[in-house]
Amino acid sequence: MRDDKLVNSLIKGLNILEAFTPTQTSFSFQELVLKTGLPKTTVFRFLRTLTLHDYLSFDTKNKKYFLGPRVMSLGFAVLSGMDLRHIANPYLEELAKVSDQNVNLAILDNTEVVVIERIKKWQLLDINIPIGGRLNCYQTSPGQAILAFLKQEKFQLLLKTLLKDKKAVEYIGPKGSKLLNKLKEVQQKGYVFCNGEFAQGVRSIAAPIFNAQGEVEGAVYMPVLSQAVSREELIERYAPMLFETAKKISKARGYSIETINALQITTLAKKIGKRRSPS
């Protein structure tokens, strides 16, 4: 059956990517033509585009294509997110039930956070981010919750990227000092409170989730309308619930609660000192 809403060119591109399997990881141009059944000119055009954008790589020695780093990173992010989402879901459901508030789960993808689960209690048009929706990492509570506990090497690479973005620099400061100070506060408290930084009239709290290797892999967050929930209520009533939920999910992921509690003593202060020291 034909569906006029389908994007045929996208489907053809996906057909090329799907040709690669664990048992056949590389193809020559002619092999891809035979595998996909697409015209040579079409295959050539898509290969050129996919290679240019790092979805495919080309080995000049054996003249074969293989999956590029961009596909790999997308795959790992999705697999990790799906696993986390499955484990976290019952805890998110319980939090939404006892708090009677919307609850979301997000993971980091480059300089953005991606919502991978949401439990809705209220239809709040101003802050309804769908599953798959993206937010910047530096101005949002889930993003800051993850950044605060990111390993130093990863954090420095991400910060370097953010400092190339004029819009991000306006918020985080020319050297990222504003963001670093906020993340230090997050580490001390164990959760993030944002009050209209990303969207006017919206408050939110977030807490990080860790895996068995001790790495932060996501954040639970609760967005509310400022007119409906006061700052005091969000922090005093809901933040402890949220933090406890994040700890339960982390424990279910194999992370020790003792380590979670100890994470408030970290090396972020040293990072700030290094960036402030004269070069």
Side-chain angles (χ1 to χ4, degrees):
M1 180 184 295
R2 180 178 176 179
D3 189 337
D4 293 333
K5 294 182 180 180
L6 294 178
V7 182
N8 290 324
S9 60
L10 175 60
I11 293 173
K12 291 175 183 177
L14 292 174
N15 285 340
I16 291 175
L17 292 177
E18 289 174 351
F20 295 85
T21 67
T23 57
Q24 190 161 6
T25 58
S26 63
F27 289 92
S28 67
F29 172 75
Q30 189 60 40
E31 287 171 340
L32 280 170
V33 171
L34 293 174
K35 179 78 174 181
T36 62
L38 297 171
K40 289 185 178 181
T41 53
T42 300
V43 173
F44 177 79
R45 189 170 64 251
F46 275 102
L47 289 177
R48 184 177 177 83
T49 302
L50 291 169
T51 303
L52 180 64
H53 291 279
D54 292 329
Y55 287 102
L56 290 178
S57 295
F58 182 66
D59 189 332
T60 55
K61 291 183 178 180
N62 61 21
K63 306 297 182 183
K64 288 196 173 186
Y65 293 87
F66 55 95
L67 293 177
R70 200 161 184 181
V71 168
M72 301 300 186
S73 63
L74 287 174
F76 289 138
V78 171
L79 288 174
S80 174
M82 289 175 63
D83 187 29
L84 175 60
R85 180 184 181 188
H86 174 74
I87 291 174
N89 183 267
Y91 300 101
L92 300 176
E93 292 276 8
E94 179 63 20
L95 176 59
K97 180 179 179 181
V98 298
S99 67
D100 198 33
Q101 296 293 338
N102 295 349
V103 178
N104 297 339
L105 176 67
I107 59 173
L108 184 68
D109 183 22
N110 295 320
T111 60
E112 297 178 311
V113 287
V114 183
V115 177
I116 62 171
E117 183 61 288
R118 59 199 300 258
I119 311 298
K120 291 196 300 181
K121 300 295 288 187
W122 303 97
Q123 188 69 26
L124 303 177
L125 299 179
D126 292 341
I127 53 178
N128 274 340
I129 307 297
I131 291 178
R134 291 174 173 268
L135 305 166
N136 72 55
C137 68
Y138 58 87
Q139 209 172 8
T140 59
S141 61
Q144 291 177 6
I146 296 172
L147 294 187
F149 297 96
L150 206 60
K151 286 189 174 181
Q152 185 170 353
E153 319 84 72
K154 292 183 179 180
F155 177 81
Q156 292 298 338
L157 287 173
L158 188 147
L159 181 60
K160 187 176 180 180
T161 301
L162 288 178
L163 291 175
K164 296 177 183 178
D165 183 339
K166 292 182 179 180
K167 185 177 179 180
V169 171
E170 288 180 7
Y171 184 81
I172 70 176
K175 294 185 179 181
S177 58
K178 292 181 181 179
L179 177 64
L180 289 167
N181 286 326
K182 178 64 182 287
L183 298 185
K184 181 181 179 181
E185 180 184 333
V186 173
Q187 289 187 324
Q188 292 171 343
K189 293 181 177 179
Y191 70 91
V192 179
F193 168 74
C194 285
N195 188 20
E197 286 93 332
F198 182 73
Q200 287 294 323
V202 176
R203 295 189 176 107
S204 66
I205 49 175
I209 296 171
F210 303 90
N211 61 24
Q213 290 72 46
E215 299 175 334
V216 62
E217 65 173 359
V220 183
Y221 76 102
M222 181 185 294
V224 299
L225 291 178
S226 302
Q227 62 189 29
V229 180
S230 68
R231 174 193 178 103
E232 291 72 23
E233 185 178 15
L234 191 59
I235 293 176
E236 295 175 10
R237 179 181 178 186
Y238 295 118
M241 297 181 189
L242 187 94
F243 186 62
E244 189 62 30
T245 297
K247 288 172 68 174
K248 288 178 180 178
I249 297 172
S250 296
K251 185 176 181 181
R253 297 290 284 164
Y255 199 46
S256 71
I257 297 301
E258 292 75 16
T259 307
I260 295 173
N261 292 333
L263 271 175
Q264 293 181 21
I265 304 174
T266 65
T267 61
L268 187 60
K270 294 181 180 179
K271 295 181 189 177
I272 295 174
K274 287 180 180 179
R275 297 201 68 84
R276 287 180 174 174
S277 62
S279 56

